[in-house]
Amino acid sequence: MVLAFLASSLRVGLAQVSTEVTDTELLWMVREVAPMVEEVTGRRFTELPEVVSANVEDVAQVVFDEQLHLLADSGMSDHEAREHASRTAVATAPALAGKYGFLDHKLYLSVDGIETALAIEGEEPWLLRPLLRVVIAHELTHALQDQATDLDKLVGQASGSDAVMAMNCLVEGHAVWVHEQVGAALELPEAVEVMKDLLGFDQPIRRRMDPQAFQSIYVYGLGRDFVAYQAEHGGSEQVWRVLADPPDTTSMIVAPWTWAEDPAPPLDGEQRRILRRASARLAGHGWRTEENAMGDYDVRDQLVRAGADLRIADSLDQGWNTRLVGGAMAGVEVQVLRFTSEEGAHAFVEGMFHEAEVQARMVGQDPFIRADAEDFAVGRHDRGAREAITVTLMAPEVVDHLGRVWVARGSDVVQVVLVNAPATDRQVRSAIARVFRALDAG
């Protein structure tokens, strides 16, 4: 009995001591996991990244520096870019237990972050080391991607924000696909399941869902499925071919068999010029112009935030957005969404309008918020609707206005978004009519 008690006490004592993970142990974990990542991916590291035991502040600084780097050619002022990068770092860093820095090529690991994540999920402390190995496998995959393809260069070559999002889905999906196989090889099924919960992607895209869950499911879940499809149809070499030539649109992530196909051509130069002019007529003087293709992710994100049926995006063909920015609290967007059928275009307008009506009823008698939704006529055969929201912030003279107008003509939708913009209804109608004439001429 005494021996049994001493043995039990020893096990408890060892368990308490073993929760501390030293820098040396982290290094050995990386050396243990790296060959398994190489085996799964079919590629070798030129060198293992330097391992940094990090805290939340360290990770936040890495995220900030990377975001600032990516925004260098965005047209933002230095102040705007720094504000955007800071918001991104503050929002994402606390959730990152590991981070591969593609600027300094270091591997940042936060043991405290993983311990906190386990506690929040209600998981047992003994999962710390297994989960660390899975996190390491995920981040080492990013390091290997970078060494083989130069992630910074690929992002710089992307044709726009939709292409960047598609690449994000690809690289994160690949890392998930690898860490799951490494976890299985190491016989760490519990840690792989916890990783699914932490990344929040192990559920399907539903008709209606929480906006926060949507992004994780899209990037990590659909990204993993995209990579799994490529591996199934061409092995690891096919995956590396795709990594070297990332998908141009997020629609390819949803339909991975279309990766080798040419995407639909964007609006032509004259149509984009008309879109810019229409946007400028609705904006204030001197506002900065941004243009981007809109893809599957953008439209589904709009639908999920509105509470509408995500299946409407299944018939999206292509989209284009011209945006004018007049500071942090003012902007105008004129978007063209081209669907594969007239039914798809009308379904988008009806879905957004219905949810705007629901939102207006929910606002009710709130003294600080007014919301309205109603039909909006442009042409006799169009289907148009609009939403108007006014928010009074503390003082009566501090007011935010948000307006959205949707008009479907044939298989095209023109969507106008106004944030504290000076445009009148007459100007909006005129701008939309101009855009439709340009589309008809094309």
Side-chain angles (χ1 to χ4, degrees):
M1 290 293 292
V2 173
L3 289 175
F5 173 75
L6 288 174
S8 176
S9 299
L10 181 61
R11 284 196 297 272
V12 172
L14 288 173
Q16 291 171 342
V17 171
S18 65
T19 57
E20 182 182 351
V21 179
T22 65
D23 292 352
T24 301
E25 188 177 359
L26 279 180
L27 181 60
W28 280 108
M29 283 186 186
V30 170
R31 292 180 177 178
E32 172 194 5
V33 172
M36 308 187 77
V37 171
E38 291 178 328
E39 183 176 353
V40 171
T41 61
R43 285 292 186 277
R44 300 286 182 185
F45 289 97
T46 55
E47 61 178 354
L48 290 181
E50 179 185 341
V51 181
V52 178
S53 181
N55 56 33
V56 172
E57 290 74 20
D58 297 329
V59 176
Q61 185 62 50
V62 175
V63 174
F64 175 83
D65 291 341
E66 291 182 352
Q67 286 294 307
L68 205 57
H69 172 77
L70 293 172
L71 293 170
D73 298 321
S74 66
M76 291 184 180
S77 68
D78 182 66
H79 177 71
E80 288 176 319
R82 285 183 172 277
E83 280 195 341
H84 180 89
S86 180
R87 287 195 300 270
T88 301
V90 169
T92 60
L96 297 176
K99 177 77 175 75
Y100 170 71
F102 70 81
L103 293 180
D104 61 12
H105 312 296
K106 294 179 181 179
L107 180 57
Y108 294 84
L109 296 170
S110 174
V111 176
D112 290 343
I114 295 179
E115 285 182 315
T116 301
L118 286 171
I120 292 173
E121 293 293 322
E123 300 290 348
E124 296 293 332
W126 67 265
L127 279 166
L128 173 61
R129 283 171 172 77
L131 186 55
L132 259 171
R133 286 172 167 83
V134 174
V135 170
I136 287 170
H138 185 103
E139 299 305 328
L140 279 178
T141 303
H142 289 322
L144 196 54
Q145 292 165 347
D146 194 25
Q147 291 179 10
T149 67
D150 190 344
L151 295 179
D152 186 26
K153 181 180 178 181
L154 286 178
V155 172
Q157 293 173 342
S159 58
S161 59
D162 189 54
V164 172
M165 175 56 74
M167 183 179 168
N168 189 31
C169 294
L170 169 63
V171 299
E172 291 297 348
H174 184 222
V176 170
W177 183 75
V178 172
H179 86 229
E180 288 184 337
Q181 293 183 71
V182 170
L186 288 171
E187 298 183 350
L188 305 174
E190 298 92 347
V192 171
E193 288 300 314
V194 171
M195 191 72 161
K196 286 181 181 179
D197 293 337
L198 293 177
L199 294 178
F201 67 86
D202 194 29
Q203 53 180 303
I205 294 283
R206 300 188 300 276
R207 291 176 59 187
R208 290 177 173 83
M209 59 190 306
D210 174 61
Q212 296 298 323
F214 166 73
Q215 182 176 17
S216 293
I217 294 170
Y218 202 105
V219 173
Y220 296 104
L222 295 187
R224 176 196 58 186
D225 295 344
F226 175 88
V227 171
Y229 177 92
Q230 304 302 333
E232 182 181 348
H233 288 80
S236 60
E237 289 307 308
Q238 169 72 358
V239 174
W240 285 108
R241 282 193 291 271
V242 177
L243 282 161
D245 183 17
D248 295 309
T249 67
T250 50
S251 63
M252 293 179 177
I253 299 297
V254 177
W257 52 90
T258 64
W259 165 72
E261 300 176 4
D262 292 328
L267 300 182
D268 63 34
E270 177 61 18
Q271 290 170 332
R272 294 200 297 273
R273 187 182 68 82
I274 296 295
L275 213 57
R276 286 194 296 272
R277 289 183 63 185
S279 304
R281 289 172 180 270
L282 304 177
H285 178 70
W287 288 14
R288 187 184 75 250
T289 303
E290 300 172 357
E291 289 187 289
N292 264 308
M294 293 182 65
D296 180 270
Y297 176 85
D298 298 307
V299 175
R300 287 187 200 272
D301 186 56
Q302 287 189 19
L303 291 166
V304 75
R305 291 181 185 280
D309 190 339
L310 268 68
R311 294 178 300 179
I312 293 171
D314 291 344
S315 61
L316 177 72
D317 183 26
Q318 61 171 307
W320 192 266
N321 182 20
T322 296
R323 179 171 182 250
L324 273 76
V325 182
M329 298 298 291
V332 168
E333 295 184 37
V334 178
Q335 303 172 1
V336 172
L337 304 178
R338 177 159 288 170
F339 291 83
T340 57
S341 67
E342 183 175 330
E343 291 76 16
H346 279 250
F348 181 84
V349 173
E350 293 295 344
M352 298 295 279
F353 177 46
H354 172 73
E355 296 306 323
E357 289 183 309
V358 172
Q359 177 67 31
R361 288 194 296 269
M362 289 176 61
V363 169
Q365 302 301 314
D366 191 307
F368 300 105
I369 305 176
R370 296 196 312 274
D372 298 294
E374 58 186 5
D375 292 336
F376 190 90
V378 175
R380 187 173 58 177
H381 301 294
D382 301 338
R383 175 64 184 104
R386 75 168 171 185
E387 174 187 44
I389 300 175
T390 301
V391 182
T392 303
L393 301 175
M394 306 304 288
E397 67 274 11
V398 184
V399 177
D400 280 347
H401 298 281
L402 169 66
R404 292 192 293 180
V405 175
W406 312 277
V407 180
R409 178 179 296 178
S411 59
D412 292 331
V413 171
V414 174
Q415 178 175 202
V416 176
V417 182
L418 305 169
V419 180
N420 293 330
T424 64
D425 282 356
R426 182 178 179 180
Q427 289 172 316
V428 171
R429 287 189 177 92
S430 176
I432 292 174
R434 287 173 179 271
V435 173
F436 274 127
R437 284 198 295 271
L439 295 174
D440 293 341

